[in-house]
Amino acid sequence: MNLVTKIGAYACALCALSLPLQAQLIIDAHPVVYPAHAAKTAAAGCPEGTETPTVHNANNERELFDRTNAYRLENNLPPLRWNAELARAARFHANDMATTRYVAHPSYPCAVVGAITGAPPECEPSCTMSDRVGAFYPSWLAVSENIAYNQSTAQQAFTSLQNSTTHDENMRNTASREMGMGYTPNTLAPLNAHLWVQVFGANASYPLLINNDSLETVSAEVRLYIYRPNTNYDEMRLSNDFNTWSDWAAFPANNRINWTLSNGNGTKTVYVQLRRSSNPSGILTEEDDITLNQVVARDGAQLPALRVYPNPVTEVVYGTVSATANVRIGLYDATGREVLACEASTGMFALPVASLPRGVYFLRAGSRVEKVVLQ
């Protein structure tokens, strides 16, 4: 039996227009398959699930995804894996709202006339959020969606979502294990407003994430997060080639473990297998990829990977650092004076910089330094 909880329609705590806050969360206790989508495709806004929606700005999408993962880690919550199917669902809906002219979780075949206040009052929805997402992500166990309207940057969109209780709950919901993002710019008519769509989900897979689902690392020493179905899966082993495996060992208490990638730059795949000691023949296998681009210092030592965003920054500078141990993060002004510091204990960090004077600063992680512009 499905449990459906509907909580309000979209986030806009920094919107140019005053809109009600709304989010929709749907959780199902069992996998759900949608075999009859073809009957709904005649209605506008309802996909077949085979579409490849336009990607308007992949960097914006990735930044909001990374901010959400950093926020979850700050709250001691599991990171999310980027899911291509959920991203297609999010992009499809963002494009449909922008080119039809409405803002709502259900899909509508007609436009809002006049000021945007949400859903068009002139027509009925053509399909629900769960039907639309289910076309791309059919066997879901949990799906939820956030929409931020008219936020020009990922930072503003994240802040508006965080400041709304229902949207914040979606970003922190541990029922979700994966996420996809969609973004449309304010140049896309007839809506002509920035749209950010987050779609969260979980299905029968239990992901392995390298460095909190980072795309790249300059260090072969990485940190893994491993999901598991339940505590009965109490043993695990790892491999870089699906041929040579580590010994079976107890599942780590905090789901995290250090690992060393294979030698040489390029795309690296890590495999994990889980089993129950009470039933060793039933094995679950997952994998994740990351690009290794090793950077070597003059003394031959490996430097920790450091990524900082956004840059320039206004309120909060976020970052990821590839290291298996705690790394001290320092922010220095142009005179070399340290003005802020923290430790990146989970590989991700956030420094609030809104109170600092605007100008050029330098962020140091170990021996890596990045210039940061406050504006």
Side-chain angles (χ1 to χ4, degrees), residues 71-122:
Y71 180 50
R72 288 173 67 96
L73 290 167
E74 288 171 10
N75 288 275
N76 297 315
L77 300 173
L80 299 171
R81 177 171 66 179
W82 177 273
N83 181 278
E85 287 71 34
L86 293 177
R88 288 167 58 211
R91 290 163 179 163
F92 181 92
H93 193 43
N95 281 304
D96 183 61
M97 289 188 290
T99 56
T100 304
R101 200 174 188 272
Y102 70 94
V103 181
H105 289 289
S107 298
Y108 284 85
C110 59
V112 169
V113 177
I116 296 293
T117 58
E122 296 83 5

Short mmCIF file of all heavy atoms in Angstrom, two decimals, residues 71-122:
data_model
loop_
_atom_site.label_atom_id
_atom_site.label_comp_id
_atom_site.label_asym_id
_atom_site.label_seq_id
_atom_site.Cartn_x
_atom_site.Cartn_y
_atom_site.Cartn_z
N TYR A 71 25.78 19.87 2.85
CA TYR A 71 24.82 20.16 3.92
C TYR A 71 24.44 18.88 4.66
O TYR A 71 24.37 18.85 5.90
CB TYR A 71 23.59 20.81 3.31
CG TYR A 71 22.50 21.19 4.28
CD1 TYR A 71 22.76 21.91 5.44
CD2 TYR A 71 21.17 20.84 4.02
CE1 TYR A 71 21.76 22.25 6.32
CE2 TYR A 71 20.16 21.20 4.88
CZ TYR A 71 20.45 21.90 6.03
OH TYR A 71 19.44 22.25 6.89
N ARG A 72 24.24 17.79 3.92
CA ARG A 72 23.91 16.52 4.57
C ARG A 72 25.08 16.05 5.44
O ARG A 72 24.87 15.57 6.56
CB ARG A 72 23.57 15.47 3.51
CG ARG A 72 22.22 15.69 2.84
CD ARG A 72 22.00 14.73 1.70
NE ARG A 72 21.86 13.36 2.14
CZ ARG A 72 20.71 12.74 2.36
NH1 ARG A 72 19.57 13.39 2.21
NH2 ARG A 72 20.68 11.47 2.73
N LEU A 73 26.29 16.21 4.96
CA LEU A 73 27.44 15.78 5.73
C LEU A 73 27.63 16.62 6.99
O LEU A 73 28.04 16.12 8.03
CB LEU A 73 28.69 15.82 4.87
CG LEU A 73 28.72 14.74 3.77
CD1 LEU A 73 29.82 15.02 2.77
CD2 LEU A 73 28.90 13.36 4.38
N GLU A 74 27.32 17.93 6.89
CA GLU A 74 27.38 18.79 8.07
C GLU A 74 26.43 18.30 9.15
O GLU A 74 26.65 18.51 10.35
CB GLU A 74 27.02 20.23 7.69
CG GLU A 74 28.07 20.95 6.88
CD GLU A 74 27.55 22.28 6.35
OE1 GLU A 74 26.45 22.70 6.79
OE2 GLU A 74 28.23 22.88 5.51
N ASN A 75 25.34 17.66 8.72
CA ASN A 75 24.34 17.15 9.66
C ASN A 75 24.49 15.66 9.93
O ASN A 75 23.55 15.01 10.41
CB ASN A 75 22.93 17.45 9.11
CG ASN A 75 22.57 18.91 9.20
OD1 ASN A 75 22.09 19.38 10.23
ND2 ASN A 75 22.81 19.65 8.12
N ASN A 76 25.68 15.11 9.61
CA ASN A 76 25.98 13.70 9.84
C ASN A 76 25.00 12.77 9.15
O ASN A 76 24.59 11.73 9.70
CB ASN A 76 26.03 13.39 11.35
CG ASN A 76 27.13 14.15 12.06
OD1 ASN A 76 28.26 14.20 11.58
ND2 ASN A 76 26.81 14.74 13.19
N LEU A 77 24.61 13.15 7.93
CA LEU A 77 23.70 12.35 7.13
C LEU A 77 24.45 11.73 5.95
O LEU A 77 25.46 12.28 5.49
CB LEU A 77 22.55 13.22 6.61
CG LEU A 77 21.68 13.88 7.68
CD1 LEU A 77 20.69 14.84 7.05
CD2 LEU A 77 20.96 12.83 8.52
N PRO A 78 23.98 10.61 5.43
CA PRO A 78 24.68 9.97 4.31
C PRO A 78 24.68 10.86 3.07
O PRO A 78 23.70 11.57 2.80
CB PRO A 78 23.86 8.70 4.06
CG PRO A 78 23.08 8.48 5.31
CD PRO A 78 22.82 9.82 5.89
N PRO A 79 25.75 10.82 2.27
CA PRO A 79 25.75 11.57 1.01
C PRO A 79 24.83 10.93 -0.02
O PRO A 79 24.48 9.75 0.10
CB PRO A 79 27.22 11.50 0.57
CG PRO A 79 27.73 10.22 1.17
CD PRO A 79 27.00 10.09 2.49
N LEU A 80 24.47 11.70 -1.02
CA LEU A 80 23.62 11.22 -2.10
C LEU A 80 24.45 10.93 -3.34
O LEU A 80 25.45 11.59 -3.60
CB LEU A 80 22.55 12.26 -2.46
CG LEU A 80 21.58 12.65 -1.35
CD1 LEU A 80 20.73 13.85 -1.77
CD2 LEU A 80 20.68 11.47 -0.98
N ARG A 81 24.03 9.95 -4.13
CA ARG A 81 24.66 9.66 -5.41
C ARG A 81 23.91 10.38 -6.52
O ARG A 81 22.68 10.41 -6.54
CB ARG A 81 24.65 8.15 -5.68
CG ARG A 81 25.25 7.79 -7.04
CD ARG A 81 25.44 6.29 -7.20
NE ARG A 81 24.19 5.55 -7.24
CZ ARG A 81 24.11 4.23 -7.39
NH1 ARG A 81 25.23 3.51 -7.49
NH2 ARG A 81 22.94 3.62 -7.39
N TRP A 82 24.66 10.98 -7.46
CA TRP A 82 24.04 11.58 -8.64
C TRP A 82 23.43 10.47 -9.48
O TRP A 82 24.06 9.44 -9.75
CB TRP A 82 25.08 12.33 -9.46
CG TRP A 82 24.52 12.91 -10.73
CD1 TRP A 82 24.42 12.30 -11.94
CD2 TRP A 82 23.99 14.23 -10.91
NE1 TRP A 82 23.85 13.14 -12.86
CE2 TRP A 82 23.58 14.33 -12.25
CE3 TRP A 82 23.83 15.32 -10.06
CZ2 TRP A 82 23.02 15.50 -12.78
CZ3 TRP A 82 23.26 16.48 -10.58
CH2 TRP A 82 22.86 16.56 -11.92
N ASN A 83 22.16 10.65 -9.88
CA ASN A 83 21.47 9.65 -10.68
C ASN A 83 21.03 10.27 -12.00
O ASN A 83 20.31 11.28 -12.01
CB ASN A 83 20.28 9.09 -9.92
CG ASN A 83 19.54 8.03 -10.70
OD1 ASN A 83 18.72 8.34 -11.56
ND2 ASN A 83 19.83 6.77 -10.42
N ALA A 84 21.46 9.69 -13.12
CA ALA A 84 21.18 10.25 -14.44
C ALA A 84 19.69 10.24 -14.76
O ALA A 84 19.18 11.16 -15.42
CB ALA A 84 21.96 9.49 -15.51
N GLU A 85 18.97 9.22 -14.30
CA GLU A 85 17.53 9.15 -14.58
C GLU A 85 16.77 10.22 -13.81
O GLU A 85 15.86 10.87 -14.35
CB GLU A 85 16.98 7.76 -14.24
CG GLU A 85 17.38 6.66 -15.21
CD GLU A 85 18.85 6.28 -15.11
OE1 GLU A 85 19.39 6.34 -13.99
OE2 GLU A 85 19.45 5.94 -16.15
N LEU A 86 17.14 10.43 -12.56
CA LEU A 86 16.50 11.50 -11.80
C LEU A 86 16.86 12.87 -12.37
O LEU A 86 16.04 13.79 -12.35
CB LEU A 86 16.92 11.42 -10.32
CG LEU A 86 16.41 10.20 -9.55
CD1 LEU A 86 16.96 10.21 -8.13
CD2 LEU A 86 14.89 10.16 -9.52
N ALA A 87 18.08 13.01 -12.91
CA ALA A 87 18.45 14.27 -13.56
C ALA A 87 17.61 14.50 -14.80
O ALA A 87 17.19 15.64 -15.07
CB ALA A 87 19.94 14.25 -13.91
N ARG A 88 17.36 13.47 -15.57
CA ARG A 88 16.50 13.62 -16.76
C ARG A 88 15.09 14.03 -16.35
O ARG A 88 14.46 14.87 -17.01
CB ARG A 88 16.48 12.33 -17.57
CG ARG A 88 17.79 12.07 -18.31
CD ARG A 88 17.87 10.65 -18.84
NE ARG A 88 16.75 10.35 -19.74
CZ ARG A 88 16.20 9.15 -19.89
NH1 ARG A 88 16.64 8.12 -19.17
NH2 ARG A 88 15.22 8.96 -20.73
N ALA A 89 14.58 13.44 -15.26
CA ALA A 89 13.25 13.81 -14.78
C ALA A 89 13.21 15.27 -14.34
O ALA A 89 12.26 16.00 -14.62
CB ALA A 89 12.83 12.90 -13.63
N ALA A 90 14.26 15.71 -13.64
CA ALA A 90 14.33 17.10 -13.16
C ALA A 90 14.45 18.06 -14.34
O ALA A 90 13.79 19.11 -14.37
CB ALA A 90 15.50 17.26 -12.20
N ARG A 91 15.30 17.74 -15.30
CA ARG A 91 15.48 18.62 -16.47
C ARG A 91 14.22 18.68 -17.32
O ARG A 91 13.87 19.74 -17.84
CB ARG A 91 16.66 18.11 -17.30
CG ARG A 91 18.00 18.31 -16.62
CD ARG A 91 19.09 17.46 -17.25
NE ARG A 91 20.39 17.68 -16.61
CZ ARG A 91 21.43 16.86 -16.72
NH1 ARG A 91 21.32 15.74 -17.45
NH2 ARG A 91 22.56 17.14 -16.12
N PHE A 92 13.56 17.54 -17.47
CA PHE A 92 12.31 17.52 -18.24
C PHE A 92 11.29 18.47 -17.64
O PHE A 92 10.66 19.27 -18.34
CB PHE A 92 11.74 16.10 -18.28
CG PHE A 92 10.47 15.98 -19.09
CD1 PHE A 92 10.52 15.66 -20.43
CD2 PHE A 92 9.23 16.20 -18.50
CE1 PHE A 92 9.35 15.56 -21.18
CE2 PHE A 92 8.06 16.11 -19.23
CZ PHE A 92 8.12 15.78 -20.58
N HIS A 93 11.14 18.43 -16.31
CA HIS A 93 10.13 19.26 -15.67
C HIS A 93 10.53 20.73 -15.70
O HIS A 93 9.67 21.60 -15.92
CB HIS A 93 9.91 18.80 -14.23
CG HIS A 93 8.70 19.39 -13.58
ND1 HIS A 93 7.48 19.50 -14.22
CD2 HIS A 93 8.52 19.93 -12.33
CE1 HIS A 93 6.60 20.06 -13.41
NE2 HIS A 93 7.21 20.34 -12.26
N ALA A 94 11.81 21.03 -15.49
CA ALA A 94 12.26 22.42 -15.55
C ALA A 94 12.02 23.00 -16.94
O ALA A 94 11.50 24.12 -17.08
CB ALA A 94 13.74 22.50 -15.19
N ASN A 95 12.36 22.25 -17.98
CA ASN A 95 12.13 22.72 -19.34
C ASN A 95 10.65 22.89 -19.64
O ASN A 95 10.24 23.85 -20.29
CB ASN A 95 12.75 21.74 -20.34
CG ASN A 95 14.25 21.92 -20.48
OD1 ASN A 95 14.72 23.01 -20.78
ND2 ASN A 95 15.01 20.86 -20.26
N ASP A 96 9.83 21.94 -19.15
CA ASP A 96 8.39 22.02 -19.41
C ASP A 96 7.76 23.23 -18.73
O ASP A 96 6.95 23.94 -19.34
CB ASP A 96 7.71 20.73 -18.93
CG ASP A 96 6.22 20.71 -19.25
OD1 ASP A 96 5.88 20.76 -20.45
OD2 ASP A 96 5.41 20.66 -18.30
N MET A 97 8.13 23.49 -17.48
CA MET A 97 7.59 24.66 -16.79
C MET A 97 8.03 25.94 -17.47
O MET A 97 7.22 26.88 -17.63
CB MET A 97 8.04 24.66 -15.32
CG MET A 97 7.39 23.60 -14.46
SD MET A 97 7.78 23.78 -12.68
CE MET A 97 9.53 23.34 -12.68
N ALA A 98 9.30 26.01 -17.90
CA ALA A 98 9.81 27.24 -18.50
C ALA A 98 9.19 27.51 -19.86
O ALA A 98 8.89 28.67 -20.20
CB ALA A 98 11.33 27.15 -18.63
N THR A 99 8.97 26.47 -20.66
CA THR A 99 8.45 26.67 -22.01
C THR A 99 6.93 26.67 -22.07
O THR A 99 6.36 27.07 -23.09
CB THR A 99 9.00 25.58 -22.95
OG1 THR A 99 8.66 24.29 -22.44
CG2 THR A 99 10.51 25.70 -23.09
N THR A 100 6.27 26.25 -20.98
CA THR A 100 4.80 26.33 -20.92
C THR A 100 4.35 27.55 -20.13
O THR A 100 3.36 28.18 -20.46
CB THR A 100 4.21 25.05 -20.27
OG1 THR A 100 4.67 23.91 -21.00
CG2 THR A 100 2.68 25.09 -20.29
N ARG A 101 5.06 27.90 -19.09
CA ARG A 101 4.84 29.05 -18.20
C ARG A 101 3.92 28.71 -17.02
O ARG A 101 2.78 29.13 -16.93
CB ARG A 101 4.31 30.28 -18.95
CG ARG A 101 4.54 31.58 -18.16
CD ARG A 101 4.14 32.83 -18.95
NE ARG A 101 4.55 34.03 -18.25
CZ ARG A 101 3.81 34.64 -17.33
NH1 ARG A 101 2.63 34.17 -17.00
NH2 ARG A 101 4.27 35.72 -16.73
N TYR A 102 4.48 27.93 -16.12
CA TYR A 102 3.83 27.65 -14.84
C TYR A 102 4.92 27.19 -13.88
O TYR A 102 6.04 26.87 -14.30
CB TYR A 102 2.73 26.59 -14.97
CG TYR A 102 3.23 25.19 -15.24
CD1 TYR A 102 3.44 24.28 -14.20
CD2 TYR A 102 3.48 24.76 -16.54
CE1 TYR A 102 3.90 23.00 -14.44
CE2 TYR A 102 3.94 23.47 -16.79
CZ TYR A 102 4.16 22.61 -15.75
OH TYR A 102 4.61 21.34 -15.98
N VAL A 103 4.63 27.13 -12.58
CA VAL A 103 5.55 26.60 -11.58
C VAL A 103 4.74 25.75 -10.61
O VAL A 103 3.95 26.28 -9.82
CB VAL A 103 6.28 27.72 -10.81
CG1 VAL A 103 7.25 27.11 -9.79
CG2 VAL A 103 7.03 28.64 -11.76
N ALA A 104 4.90 24.43 -10.68
CA ALA A 104 4.13 23.53 -9.83
C ALA A 104 4.75 22.14 -9.89
O ALA A 104 5.51 21.83 -10.82
CB ALA A 104 2.67 23.47 -10.28
N HIS A 105 4.41 21.28 -8.94
CA HIS A 105 4.92 19.92 -8.96
C HIS A 105 4.19 19.04 -9.97
O HIS A 105 4.85 18.30 -10.70
CB HIS A 105 4.86 19.30 -7.56
CG HIS A 105 5.86 19.91 -6.63
ND1 HIS A 105 7.21 19.68 -6.73
CD2 HIS A 105 5.72 20.76 -5.59
CE1 HIS A 105 7.86 20.36 -5.80
NE2 HIS A 105 6.98 21.02 -5.09
N PRO A 106 2.85 19.10 -10.10
CA PRO A 106 2.21 18.38 -11.20
C PRO A 106 2.57 19.04 -12.54
O PRO A 106 2.94 20.21 -12.59
CB PRO A 106 0.71 18.51 -10.90
CG PRO A 106 0.63 18.91 -9.47
CD PRO A 106 1.87 19.71 -9.19
N SER A 107 2.44 18.30 -13.61
CA SER A 107 2.63 18.85 -14.96
C SER A 107 1.29 19.37 -15.48
O SER A 107 0.25 18.74 -15.29
CB SER A 107 3.17 17.77 -15.90
OG SER A 107 4.43 17.33 -15.46
N TYR A 108 1.34 20.52 -16.16
CA TYR A 108 0.14 21.16 -16.69
C TYR A 108 0.28 21.39 -18.19
O TYR A 108 1.38 21.71 -18.67
CB TYR A 108 -0.12 22.50 -16.00
CG TYR A 108 -0.68 22.36 -14.60
CD1 TYR A 108 0.17 22.18 -13.52
CD2 TYR A 108 -2.05 22.40 -14.38
CE1 TYR A 108 -0.34 22.04 -12.23
CE2 TYR A 108 -2.57 22.27 -13.10
CZ TYR A 108 -1.71 22.08 -12.03
OH TYR A 108 -2.20 21.95 -10.77
N PRO A 109 -0.84 21.29 -18.93
CA PRO A 109 -0.79 21.52 -20.38
C PRO A 109 -1.02 22.96 -20.78
O PRO A 109 -1.01 23.27 -21.98
CB PRO A 109 -1.92 20.62 -20.89
CG PRO A 109 -2.93 20.64 -19.79
CD PRO A 109 -2.13 20.71 -18.50
N CYS A 110 -1.26 23.87 -19.81
CA CYS A 110 -1.55 25.25 -20.17
C CYS A 110 -0.76 26.21 -19.29
O CYS A 110 -0.24 25.82 -18.24
CB CYS A 110 -3.05 25.55 -20.06
SG CYS A 110 -3.71 25.28 -18.41
N ALA A 111 -0.67 27.46 -19.74
CA ALA A 111 0.17 28.45 -19.09
C ALA A 111 -0.60 29.26 -18.07
O ALA A 111 -1.82 29.40 -18.15
CB ALA A 111 0.76 29.39 -20.13
N VAL A 112 0.15 29.82 -17.11
CA VAL A 112 -0.40 30.82 -16.21
C VAL A 112 -0.48 32.14 -16.97
O VAL A 112 0.47 32.54 -17.65
CB VAL A 112 0.49 30.98 -14.96
CG1 VAL A 112 0.07 32.20 -14.15
CG2 VAL A 112 0.41 29.72 -14.10
N VAL A 113 -1.61 32.81 -16.87
CA VAL A 113 -1.79 34.11 -17.51
C VAL A 113 -1.55 35.19 -16.45
O VAL A 113 -2.11 35.14 -15.36
CB VAL A 113 -3.20 34.25 -18.11
CG1 VAL A 113 -3.40 35.64 -18.69
CG2 VAL A 113 -3.44 33.19 -19.16
N GLY A 114 -0.67 36.16 -16.75
CA GLY A 114 -0.37 37.21 -15.80
C GLY A 114 0.76 36.80 -14.87
O GLY A 114 1.63 36.02 -15.23
N ALA A 115 0.74 37.33 -13.64
CA ALA A 115 1.82 37.06 -12.68
C ALA A 115 1.84 35.58 -12.31
O ALA A 115 0.80 34.94 -12.15
CB ALA A 115 1.63 37.91 -11.43
N ILE A 116 3.05 35.05 -12.18
CA ILE A 116 3.19 33.65 -11.81
C ILE A 116 2.84 33.47 -10.33
O ILE A 116 3.48 34.04 -9.45
CB ILE A 116 4.62 33.16 -12.06
CG1 ILE A 116 4.96 33.23 -13.55
CG2 ILE A 116 4.82 31.74 -11.55
CD1 ILE A 116 4.18 32.27 -14.41
N THR A 117 1.82 32.70 -10.06
CA THR A 117 1.43 32.40 -8.68
C THR A 117 1.40 30.91 -8.43
O THR A 117 0.79 30.45 -7.47
CB THR A 117 0.06 33.02 -8.35
OG1 THR A 117 -0.91 32.50 -9.28
CG2 THR A 117 0.10 34.53 -8.44
N GLY A 118 2.00 30.14 -9.32
CA GLY A 118 2.04 28.70 -9.13
C GLY A 118 1.43 27.97 -10.29
O GLY A 118 1.86 28.12 -11.43
N ALA A 119 0.40 27.16 -10.01
CA ALA A 119 -0.22 26.33 -11.04
C ALA A 119 -1.27 27.11 -11.82
O ALA A 119 -1.90 28.03 -11.29
CB ALA A 119 -0.85 25.11 -10.39
N PRO A 120 -1.48 26.77 -13.10
CA PRO A 120 -2.53 27.44 -13.89
C PRO A 120 -3.91 27.09 -13.36
O PRO A 120 -4.23 25.91 -13.20
CB PRO A 120 -2.33 26.87 -15.29
CG PRO A 120 -1.01 26.20 -15.28
CD PRO A 120 -0.76 25.77 -13.88
N PRO A 121 -4.73 28.08 -13.08
CA PRO A 121 -6.09 27.77 -12.60
C PRO A 121 -7.03 27.37 -13.73
O PRO A 121 -8.13 26.88 -13.48
CB PRO A 121 -6.54 29.10 -11.97
CG PRO A 121 -5.78 30.14 -12.73
CD PRO A 121 -4.46 29.52 -13.08
N GLU A 122 -6.58 27.54 -14.99
CA GLU A 122 -7.47 27.34 -16.13
C GLU A 122 -7.58 25.88 -16.56
O GLU A 122 -8.43 25.55 -17.38
CB GLU A 122 -6.98 28.16 -17.34
CG GLU A 122 -7.03 29.66 -17.14
CD GLU A 122 -5.80 30.18 -16.41
OE1 GLU A 122 -4.88 29.37 -16.16
OE2 GLU A 122 -5.77 31.38 -16.08
#
